[in-house]
Amino acid sequence: MTLKKKDYIPKEELQALQLKRLKETVERVYHLVPFYRKKFEEAGVRPSDIKSLDDLKRLPFTTKQDLREHYPFGLFAVPLEQVVRIHSSSGTTGKPTVVGYTEHDLKIWTEVMVRTFLMADVNEKDVVHNAYGYGLFTGGLGFHYGAEALGASVVPASGGFTKRQLMLMKDFGATILCCTPSFALHLSEVAKEEGYDIQKDFKLRAGFFGAEPASPGLKKAVAESWGIQYVEAYGLSEIIGPGVAATCEHGSLHVFEDHFIPEVIDPETGKVLPEGEEGELVITTLTKQALPMIRYRTKDITVIHREPCKCGRTLVWIEGIKGRADDMLIVNGVNVFPSQVEHVITKVEGVTPNYVIVVDKKGVLDKLEVWVEVDERMLTDGVGTLENLKKKLEVELLNNLFINAKVKLVEPKTLERSMGKAKRIIDRRELNL
Amino acid sequence: MRTKYAVKQISVFLENRRGRLVDVTKAFLDADINIRALFLADSSEFGILRLVVDNPEKAKAILVSKGFAANETEVFAVEVEDRPGGFYRVVKVLADNEIDVEYTYAYAGTSNKAILFFKVKNEEFDRAIEVLMENGQNLVEAVKFYE
């Protein structure tokens, strides 16, 4: 079977394969990982209880906290001799989470990255400019191996050095760009500043963007600023890295479900939600050897869809990641995701998609401020026009988020540009206690 | 007509942060740009600095390279006698001809003349100049402000 065909296998065949692999995975973790055996026993479930895909919901969840508590290798299901690669998170919010791969796992990873790249028909004629960070972060090497396996020419640019990146992209004739959406936008801004003519100087035709949630507005801004097809590449290191899901030409984020089973749950109750309802994405790996994951809570917020996609792929699809459960702000009791704010901002003309959300406490009430950069191209010399722009943004935020936010217009290019994941929130409430 | 009298005014968007005016004017000092007139329009959170300088092209390039958000607007200048009624006679002509003034600012130098700057709607620019000339007002050619 060619790799591309894997996205189109008949539903029954796919489900039979999933069930077989699920049973194998559950058996393996039960016998090889004491953590899982204990959790299964506490939940009163044995591997033999898994008779259908529906039985998946009987299994307990795994969380990032579990990975931290078993730092570094406690959840590995193979001895270290069989592990050929180790990646790790930065550990800025606690102990780092460590993930390992066997040779077989790396092959799977490459396979799903190839299938990601096939969403834009990447081939050996393409020059893939990979500006994801290399190193312990899974982004860089994940994209690298996928593109190389397709025979494309890969430029392992890694992060940072914006101006040099642009020079390489132009001189090497990059056709494919891989990086975070916020960095892609930053690249296009700097390209304009540096006097490049984006249409003439660059040959980009598609980009693979991920590692942070992006609103429809930001995606559109990135696609339009470069004039390219926008492919969302979704993944997380705990599952495999990038390559868990990718968007087809219709914008459906297809999960490579012969390797990963997605579920959407109510983050409060843990109950599996029906198709079409928004909740937290939970993923079970089906083929991973070194670090299998049973019902891993991703903290990413999305909606699952099982109706057939127009692209013909039989794979289930989810909606673009709306935000992260741990990025969710509760402002005066209202849930706010940065991507919702971003969505409003990108709909209003006159400001750039760069923003920072600042939350403060004033007395007992939370105070939300959104800092937005004025778009130079839209800049007028009238104070009134800008005051109107500010008011319009405030009204839109109120209508969309149901909260009063104060908008502060700031000078263009003054908000911090990120080379990796964008930092959008400054929560100063705790400091004031 | 228009090219002769359209004075290139630079507008700079400034956040109300300490030191931003220093930054702008220092950039001009370093680039040897002389400010001929200025007006700061402000709200509680930001301001727009409007400037007439002796070299608008250079000024704009300097500002953009320093990361300021700047753009260019065309205004016209009228020279009047520095005595009661000078400003009145100009705005009266504009009002009589139903031309709205978006904003205006002025400076009175050491001579007995004062210079008034006017911003009107783009589509009314030509007519504004015409009616002022017809009414004997002394429009100042743009080059007078440049080197």
Side-chain angles (χ1 to χ4, degrees):
Chain A
M1 191 188 299
T2 67
L3 280 184
K4 191 156 186 175
K5 278 196 181 147
K6 286 197 168 189
D7 293 358
Y8 300 86
I9 55 171
K11 208 82 193 166
E12 299 71 40
E13 205 178 305
L14 178 64
Q15 282 167 357
L17 182 70
Q18 284 181 311
L19 182 60
K20 176 176 160 280
R21 289 177 168 175
L22 177 64
K23 284 179 174 171
E24 285 166 7
T25 300
V26 169
E27 282 286 352
R28 267 209 337 275
V29 299
Y30 185 80
H31 291 106
L32 298 171
V33 188
F35 161 82
Y36 280 117
R37 177 191 286 255
K38 190 164 160 265
K39 286 264 275 214
F40 285 14
E41 277 167 0
E42 279 165 12
V45 56
R46 297 180 61 80
S48 54
D49 294 332
I50 306 302
K51 296 191 176 76
S52 72
L53 288 174
D54 197 45
D55 291 325
L56 179 64
K57 63 174 184 282
R58 301 179 59 179
L59 297 171
F61 295 116
T62 311
T63 64
K64 199 180 189 84
Q65 192 54 33
D66 293 326
L67 275 159
R68 285 183 181 146
E69 280 169 14
H70 295 83
Y71 172 87
F73 307 134
L75 296 191
F76 282 20
V78 296
L80 215 51
E81 297 94 276
Q82 290 175 36
V83 172
V84 296
R85 176 92 66 75
I86 296 168
H87 280 276
S88 166
S89 70
S90 55
T92 43
T93 52
K95 274 244 172 185
T97 47
V98 179
V99 299
Y101 303 78
T102 64
E103 213 178 319
H104 160 87
D105 291 338
L106 288 184
K107 275 190 194 134
I108 300 289
W109 194 10
T110 300
E111 179 202 308
V112 287
M113 283 316 299
V114 164
R115 288 161 70 183
T116 296
F117 278 121
L118 288 175
M119 293 290 182
D121 291 316
V122 175
N123 58 59
E124 67 281 355
K125 292 194 191 90
D126 280 303
V127 175
V128 176
H129 185 92
N130 186 14
Y132 280 106
Y134 279 66
L136 286 173
F137 172 58
T138 50
L141 288 169
F143 281 94
H144 184 100
Y145 279 90
E148 228 173 53
L150 276 163
S153 313
V154 188
V155 183
S158 198
F161 308 104
T162 310
K163 287 176 191 171
R164 197 188 57 162
Q165 301 251 9
L166 289 166
M167 185 191 83
L168 297 178
M169 284 166 68
K170 175 176 179 273
D171 294 349
F172 297 175
T175 55
I176 305 292
L177 173 65
C178 305
C179 62
T180 60
S182 48
F183 189 57
L185 197 66
H186 175 59
L187 278 168
S188 72
E189 280 177 359
V190 176
K192 281 173 212 150
E193 269 170 50
E194 293 290 298
Y196 287 104
D197 178 333
I198 290 198
Q199 294 310 314
K200 279 195 201 132
D201 292 334
F202 298 98
K203 293 183 185 155
L204 284 190
R205 65 174 184 85
F208 292 80
F209 306 109
E212 65 185 12
S215 70
L218 179 63
K219 289 176 190 172
K220 196 163 159 258
V222 169
E224 283 175 1
S225 69
W226 284 106
I228 55 174
Q229 180 188 347
Y230 186 110
V231 180
E232 179 170 356
Y234 174 71
L236 59 169
S237 61
E238 295 89 329
I239 298 303
I240 198 159
V244 174
T247 47
C248 67
E249 64 273 29
H250 298 289
S252 309
L253 190 49
H254 290 281
V255 180
F256 300 116
E257 58 173 333
D258 44 334
H259 297 293
F260 318 105
I261 299 186
E263 300 168 276
V264 167
I265 63 159
D266 178 332
E268 302 290 320
T269 64
K271 230 177 123 249
V272 175
L273 292 173
E275 178 179 357
E277 277 186 36
E278 186 175 300
E280 181 182 343
L281 181 66
V282 168
I283 297 173
T284 301
T285 68
L286 296 176
T287 47
K288 287 254 306 292
Q289 287 182 340
L291 187 63
M293 277 288 150
I294 304 294
R295 302 193 83 199
Y296 183 75
R297 292 186 60 159
T298 65
K299 303 250 180 159
D300 288 324
I301 304 295
T302 188
V303 177
I304 206 161
H305 290 277
R306 298 189 189 280
E307 73 262 32
C309 177
K310 279 178 273 183
C311 73
R313 285 179 180 79
T314 48
L315 302 173
V316 67
W317 55 281
I318 54 178
E319 288 177 13
I321 302 303
K322 293 215 159 114
R324 288 186 50 80
D326 42 8
D327 268 355
M328 190 180 79
L329 282 166
I330 301 175
V331 180
N332 296 323
V334 179
N335 296 349
V336 178
F337 288 106
S339 57
Q340 287 177 293
V341 172
E342 184 178 293
H343 186 58
V344 170
I345 291 166
T346 51
K347 274 198 314 195
V348 174
E349 281 208 4
V351 291
T352 74
N354 292 297
Y355 66 96
V356 174
I357 299 168
V358 184
V359 203
D360 263 316
K361 196 134 200 131
K362 202 172 190 183
V364 288
L365 285 179
D366 296 327
K367 206 173 99 245
L368 191 75
E369 257 190 40
V370 180
W371 299 353
V372 200
E373 288 178 0
V374 176
D375 187 339
E376 275 175 301
R377 288 163 301 172
M378 302 290 291
L379 193 62
T380 69
D381 63 340
V383 173
T385 318
L386 289 171
E387 289 280 9
N388 287 341
L389 176 63
K390 179 179 136 82
K391 273 191 210 114
K392 187 173 176 195
L393 282 162
E394 285 172 349
V395 168
E396 288 288 318
L397 286 167
L398 180 64
N399 289 343
N400 286 271
L401 277 66
F402 310 108
I403 48 160
N404 277 303
K406 190 168 163 265
V407 169
K408 184 174 153 196
L409 296 176
V410 302
E411 291 172 26
K413 304 193 186 87
T414 51
L415 297 179
E416 193 188 324
R417 290 335 192 232
S418 75
M419 298 300 159
K421 299 185 191 203
K423 178 150 177 51
R424 306 291 199 190
I425 302 169
I426 303 174
D427 195 337
R428 300 196 285 215
R429 285 176 293 191
E430 283 156 28
L431 298 174
N432 296 345
L433 287 173
Chain B
M1 285 276 271
R2 182 164 184 146
T3 43
K4 197 169 169 189
Y5 294 111
V7 179
K8 290 188 165 55
Q9 172 203 269
I10 309 282
S11 310
V12 191
F13 175 82
L14 293 175
E15 281 168 49
N16 282 2
R17 268 195 282 139
R18 185 175 299 151
R20 285 313 265 168
L21 277 172
V22 175
D23 296 342
V24 176
T25 45
K26 177 74 166 51
F28 284 177
L29 167 65
D30 293 345
D32 199 25
I33 289 164
N34 191 21
I35 300 171
R36 310 298 308 273
L38 69 83
F39 180 70
L40 180 63
D42 68 325
S43 77
S44 57
E45 287 166 22
F46 57 85
I48 292 173
L49 181 62
R50 296 159 184 160
L51 300 151
V52 174
V53 297
D54 60 356
N55 189 342
E57 273 74 32
K58 189 173 166 193
K60 197 173 169 229
I62 295 284
L63 287 170
V64 170
S65 75
K66 298 265 176 201
F68 287 99
N71 73 351
E72 218 175 73
T73 313
E74 289 185 340
V75 295
F76 60 81
V78 186
E79 189 181 58
V80 297
E81 294 294 326
D82 187 6
R83 60 185 167 83
F87 185 68
Y88 160 75
R89 277 183 280 275
V90 179
V91 289
K92 174 101 177 27
V93 173
L94 295 173
D96 288 347
N97 286 278
E98 291 171 348
I99 295 168
D100 292 331
V101 174
E102 293 191 357
Y103 56 78
T104 174
Y105 49 104
Y107 73 83
T110 47
S111 67
N112 54 354
K113 304 280 187 192
I115 302 283
L116 314 173
F117 291 95
F118 287 97
K119 167 74 168 67
V120 297
K121 278 203 182 68
N122 201 28
E123 57 271 27
E124 285 178 345
F125 196 97
D126 293 326
R127 204 160 60 82
I129 296 173
E130 273 165 37
V131 296
L132 287 168
M133 287 178 115
E134 281 164 17
N135 285 276
Q137 295 295 333
N138 188 14
L139 279 136
V140 186
E141 287 180 27
V143 286
K144 290 261 170 76
F145 298 99
Y146 312 149
E147 280 173 317

